[in-house]
């Protein structure tokens, strides 16, 4: 029995030695998905409270070939804007605006929609109402073209609220009225909710 164990150990050692033979130079092997446990799903599971770890996971997933460069950048922008761990909304906006000009953003409606969601969220947090209006309008159109009626109406309502914040009261109320008319079977409007003049 002891001889059998020694034989197994010797065979294992020989295999290790043989595997180490070679010129010792770098290999040309491409990274594989199995080379890392760091995937987009893991990164998005921790980003809220550990921005640094999430970004490292995204880098690792990209190097392993799990993410394209554009998708990795979108995830970085998402981490920057959504994390509670020192959010960086300006960085999220810079990355997302750059990605809007890429081929994937022009050909993939889902990708473009996710970019616009990051831009709307970040401009809202920074209270940049002018840019929030631009991106909320585009997001409403993106939802509409995707057939997501509920989210399109939500984005339209945000457009109305932003117009109101920009002191474009009539336009803002008209936009909110149009959303309310769609949602309300009674056809109510914001005008009827305003106090009447004395």
């Amino acid at each position: 029995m002891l001889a059998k164990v020694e034989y197994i150990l010797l065979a294992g050692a020989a295999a290790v030695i043989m595997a180490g033979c070679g010129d010792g130079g770098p290999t040309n092997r491409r990274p594989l998905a199995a080379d890392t446990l760091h995937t987009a799903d893991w990164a998005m599971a921790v980003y809220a409270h550990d921005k640094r770890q999430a970004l490292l996971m995204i880098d690792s997933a990209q190097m392993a070939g799990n993410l394209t460069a554009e998708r990795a950048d979108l995830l970085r922008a998402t981490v920057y804007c959504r994390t509670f761990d020192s959010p960086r909304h300006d960085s999220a906006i810079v990355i997302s605006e750059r990605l809007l000009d890429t081929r994937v953003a022009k050909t993939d409606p889902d990708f473009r929609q996710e970019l616009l969601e990051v831009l709307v969220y970040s401009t809202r947090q920074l209270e940049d109402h002018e840019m929030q209006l631009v991106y909320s309008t585009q997001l409403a159109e993106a939802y509409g073209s995707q057939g997501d009626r509920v989210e399109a109406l939500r984005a339209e309502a945000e457009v109305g609220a932003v117009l109101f914040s920009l002191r474009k009261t009539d336009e803002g109320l008209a936009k909110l009225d149009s959303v309310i008319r769609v949602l309300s079977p009674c056809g109510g409007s914001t005008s009827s909710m305003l106090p009447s003049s004395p």
Side-chain angles (χ1 to χ4, degrees):
M1 180 67 180
L2 186 59
K4 188 174 183 180
V5 171
E6 288 175 346
Y7 176 79
I8 292 171
L9 290 174
L10 283 172
V16 169
I17 291 168
M18 292 300 290
C21 291
D23 61 7
T27 65
N28 291 325
R29 185 178 72 84
R30 300 182 72 134
L32 303 174
D35 290 345
T36 178
L37 295 176
H38 295 171
T39 64
D41 290 342
W42 277 103
M44 293 298 100
V46 303
Y47 75 90
H49 298 289
D50 195 342
K51 176 179 66 187
R52 182 176 175 277
Q53 183 63 26
L55 293 172
L56 287 172
M57 288 178 169
I58 292 167
D59 291 345
S60 177
Q62 183 181 355
M63 286 189 291
N66 295 348
L67 294 172
T68 64
E70 293 85 2
R71 173 60 60 178
D73 278 344
L74 171 57
L75 292 179
R76 289 182 188 102
T78 303
V79 169
Y80 285 139
C81 81
R82 299 278 185 179
T83 186
F84 299 123
D85 176 17
S86 303
R88 290 171 47 189
H89 298 293
D90 287 325
S91 296
I93 290 170
V94 168
I95 293 169
S96 299
E97 287 181 332
R98 176 176 53 78
L99 288 172
L100 279 176
D101 289 329
T102 61
R103 183 188 59 77
V104 66
K106 293 174 181 175
T107 58
D108 183 342
D110 293 326
F111 187 87
R112 180 176 177 78
Q113 181 178 303
E114 289 180 65
L115 282 176
L116 291 169
E117 287 168 352
V118 169
L119 287 163
V120 169
Y121 185 85
S122 291
T123 52
R124 184 192 306 133
Q125 297 305 309
L126 293 176
E127 298 184 5
D128 185 343
H129 299 306
E130 295 283 354
M131 293 312 297
Q132 184 185 355
L133 177 61
V134 170
Y135 293 126
S136 293
T137 302
Q138 291 181 25
L139 183 57
E141 293 169 358
Y143 284 137
S145 67
Q146 291 280 79
D148 193 338
R149 184 170 173 265
V150 172
E151 289 302 324
L153 287 170
R154 194 191 313 270
E156 290 283 352
E158 179 161 0
V159 169
V162 175
L163 285 167
F164 198 84
S165 298
L166 290 169
R167 301 185 189 281
K168 297 180 179 180
T169 308
D170 291 341
E171 290 177 63
L173 290 177
K175 181 64 74 174
L176 290 170
D177 277 349
S178 69
V179 173
I180 290 170
R181 276 194 295 274
V182 172
L183 295 175
S184 171
C186 301
S189 75
T190 54
S191 303
S192 63
M193 301 176 196
L194 296 174
S196 57
S197 302

